[in-house]
Amino acid sequence: MPTNNTPVSLTARKRVAQRASYICEYCLEQDENSFIGFEIDHIISRKHKGSNDESNLAYTCPDCNRNKGTDIASIDWSSQEIVRFFNPRTDIWAEHFRLSGGFIEPLTPIGKVTVDIFRFNDRVRLPDKDVF
Ligand SMILES: [Zn+2]
Protein backbone atom coordinates (compact mmCIF):
# COMPACT_ATOMS: atom_id res chain seq x y z
CA MET A 1 0.00 0.00 0.00
CA PRO A 2 1.55 3.31 -1.02
CA THR A 3 2.05 6.07 1.50
CA ASN A 4 -0.76 8.56 1.19
CA ASN A 5 0.03 12.15 2.07
CA THR A 6 -3.18 13.53 0.64
CA PRO A 7 -5.22 15.32 3.32
CA VAL A 8 -8.46 13.68 4.40
CA SER A 9 -11.26 15.44 2.54
CA LEU A 10 -13.72 17.63 4.37
CA THR A 11 -16.51 15.34 3.22
CA ALA A 12 -14.77 12.30 4.71
CA ARG A 13 -14.07 14.19 7.94
CA LYS A 14 -17.74 15.03 8.28
CA ARG A 15 -18.77 11.41 7.61
CA VAL A 16 -16.27 10.09 10.19
CA ALA A 17 -17.50 12.58 12.82
CA GLN A 18 -21.11 11.70 12.12
CA ARG A 19 -20.37 7.97 12.19
CA ALA A 20 -18.85 8.46 15.66
CA SER A 21 -21.84 10.49 16.86
CA TYR A 22 -19.37 13.31 17.63
CA ILE A 23 -17.77 11.31 20.45
CA CYS A 24 -14.09 10.40 20.73
CA GLU A 25 -13.95 6.81 19.58
CA TYR A 26 -11.20 6.05 22.09
CA CYS A 27 -12.09 7.76 25.40
CA LEU A 28 -15.77 8.58 24.69
CA GLU A 29 -15.43 12.31 25.39
CA GLN A 30 -18.09 14.36 23.61
CA ASP A 31 -16.75 16.98 21.24
CA GLU A 32 -19.15 19.58 22.61
CA ASN A 33 -17.15 19.39 25.88
CA SER A 34 -13.89 20.30 24.18
CA PHE A 35 -12.58 23.81 23.72
CA ILE A 36 -10.30 22.57 20.96
CA GLY A 37 -11.75 20.95 17.88
CA PHE A 38 -11.77 17.19 17.58
CA GLU A 39 -9.54 15.56 15.01
CA ILE A 40 -9.45 12.74 12.51
CA ASP A 41 -7.01 10.00 13.50
CA HIS A 42 -5.38 7.55 11.15
CA ILE A 43 -5.75 4.36 13.19
CA ILE A 44 -2.76 2.92 11.36
CA SER A 45 -0.74 6.08 10.94
CA ARG A 46 0.48 7.23 7.58
CA LYS A 47 4.01 6.61 8.85
CA HIS A 48 3.09 2.92 8.89
CA LYS A 49 1.45 3.18 5.46
CA GLY A 50 -2.09 3.57 6.77
CA SER A 51 -4.49 4.93 4.18
CA ASN A 52 -7.06 7.70 4.08
CA ASP A 53 -9.79 5.11 3.65
CA GLU A 54 -12.58 5.69 6.13
CA SER A 55 -12.02 2.19 7.48
CA ASN A 56 -8.69 3.55 8.81
CA LEU A 57 -10.06 6.78 10.26
CA ALA A 58 -11.39 7.53 13.73
CA TYR A 59 -12.90 10.60 15.32
CA THR A 60 -10.77 11.59 18.30
CA CYS A 61 -10.38 14.19 20.97
CA PRO A 62 -7.13 16.17 20.74
CA ASP A 63 -5.71 14.45 23.84
CA CYS A 64 -6.13 10.95 22.48
CA ASN A 65 -4.78 11.93 19.10
CA ARG A 66 -1.71 13.68 20.51
CA ASN A 67 -0.92 10.95 23.02
CA LYS A 68 -1.26 8.28 20.35
CA GLY A 69 0.77 10.21 17.81
CA THR A 70 1.97 7.90 15.07
CA ASP A 71 2.15 4.88 17.41
CA ILE A 72 0.12 1.79 16.63
CA ALA A 73 1.12 -0.43 19.58
CA SER A 74 2.99 -0.51 22.87
CA ILE A 75 4.60 -2.99 25.22
CA ASP A 76 2.57 -4.82 27.86
CA TRP A 77 5.28 -5.06 30.49
CA SER A 78 3.44 -7.76 32.44
CA SER A 79 3.86 -10.13 29.48
CA GLN A 80 6.70 -8.24 27.76
CA GLU A 81 4.81 -8.52 24.50
CA ILE A 82 4.04 -5.90 21.88
CA VAL A 83 0.30 -5.26 21.90
CA ARG A 84 -1.59 -3.19 19.35
CA PHE A 85 -3.87 -0.36 20.34
CA PHE A 86 -7.65 -0.52 20.41
CA ASN A 87 -9.07 -0.19 16.90
CA PRO A 88 -12.51 1.43 16.88
CA ARG A 89 -13.22 0.01 13.42
CA THR A 90 -12.69 -3.64 14.35
CA ASP A 91 -12.88 -3.83 18.16
CA ILE A 92 -15.81 -3.39 20.52
CA TRP A 93 -15.14 -0.76 23.20
CA ALA A 94 -16.92 -2.60 26.02
CA GLU A 95 -14.83 -5.71 25.44
CA HIS A 96 -11.63 -3.79 26.19
CA PHE A 97 -12.68 -1.10 28.69
CA ARG A 98 -15.22 -0.28 31.33
CA LEU A 99 -16.17 2.91 33.10
CA SER A 100 -15.60 2.75 36.84
CA GLY A 101 -15.82 5.64 39.27
CA GLY A 102 -15.12 8.22 36.58
CA PHE A 103 -12.14 6.33 35.21
CA ILE A 104 -11.68 4.04 32.25
CA GLU A 105 -10.39 0.64 33.33
CA PRO A 106 -8.79 -1.77 30.87
CA LEU A 107 -10.17 -5.28 30.58
CA THR A 108 -7.64 -6.72 28.14
CA PRO A 109 -3.98 -6.21 27.17
CA ILE A 110 -5.22 -4.10 24.24
CA GLY A 111 -7.21 -2.02 26.69
CA LYS A 112 -4.25 -1.71 29.03
CA VAL A 113 -1.77 -0.38 26.49
CA THR A 114 -4.40 1.96 25.06
CA VAL A 115 -5.33 3.37 28.49
CA ASP A 116 -1.64 3.81 29.35
CA ILE A 117 -0.41 5.44 26.15
CA PHE A 118 -3.51 7.51 25.41
CA ARG A 119 -3.49 8.55 29.09
CA PHE A 120 -7.24 8.14 29.42
CA ASN A 121 -7.18 8.71 33.16
CA ASP A 122 -5.00 11.77 33.51
CA ARG A 123 -6.54 13.97 36.13
CA VAL A 124 -6.60 16.92 33.74
CA ARG A 125 -8.84 14.91 31.43
CA LEU A 126 -11.40 14.39 34.16
CA PRO A 127 -12.02 17.92 35.42
CA ASP A 128 -15.56 17.21 36.52
CA LYS A 129 -14.70 14.03 38.40
CA ASP A 130 -14.24 13.90 42.14
CA VAL A 131 -10.72 12.49 42.27
CA PHE A 132 -9.27 14.43 45.19
ZN1 LIG B 1 -10.31 10.78 23.47
Side-chain angles (χ1 to χ4, degrees):
M1 188 183 315
T3 301
N4 184 350
N5 290 321
T6 305
V8 176
S9 73
L10 182 58
T11 303
R13 290 173 175 273
K14 287 180 178 175
R15 275 199 302 265
V16 170
Q18 190 171 36
R19 176 179 67 191
S21 301
Y22 306 96
I23 294 172
C24 176
E25 296 190 76
Y26 295 111
C27 75
L28 308 184
E29 182 179 350
Q30 296 182 7
D31 68 0
E32 64 187 21
N33 294 336
S34 177
F35 293 110
I36 304 172
F38 272 32
E39 302 169 354
I40 303 298
D41 171 52
H42 287 79
I43 297 166
I44 303 299
S45 59
R46 294 179 198 198
K47 177 180 179 181
H48 294 284
K49 303 191 187 309
S51 77
N52 276 354
D53 189 278
E54 290 178 31
S55 65
N56 188 46
L57 301 177
Y59 193 61
T60 67
C61 70
D63 291 321
C64 282
N65 205 18
R66 278 177 187 59
N67 291 332
K68 177 177 180 273
T70 59
D71 295 353
I72 57 175
S74 186
I75 300 167
D76 178 354
W77 290 104
S78 63
S79 64
Q80 299 194 359
E81 293 189 4
I82 294 173
V83 178
R84 68 173 174 84
F85 293 142
F86 173 75
N87 181 332
R89 295 285 70 77
T90 58
D91 297 325
I92 297 170
W93 198 92
E95 290 180 357
H96 296 281
F97 313 100
R98 71 175 173 203
L99 294 171
S100 177
F103 293 94
I104 298 173
E105 290 183 353
L107 300 173
T108 62
I110 288 171
K112 183 178 186 324
V113 297
T114 304
V115 166
D116 287 349
I117 298 300
F118 289 48
R119 301 170 69 179
F120 280 175
N121 295 314
D122 277 14
R123 186 172 293 176
V124 70
R125 299 190 58 196
L126 300 167
D128 57 342
K129 304 296 188 290
D130 184 16
V131 295
F132 300 104

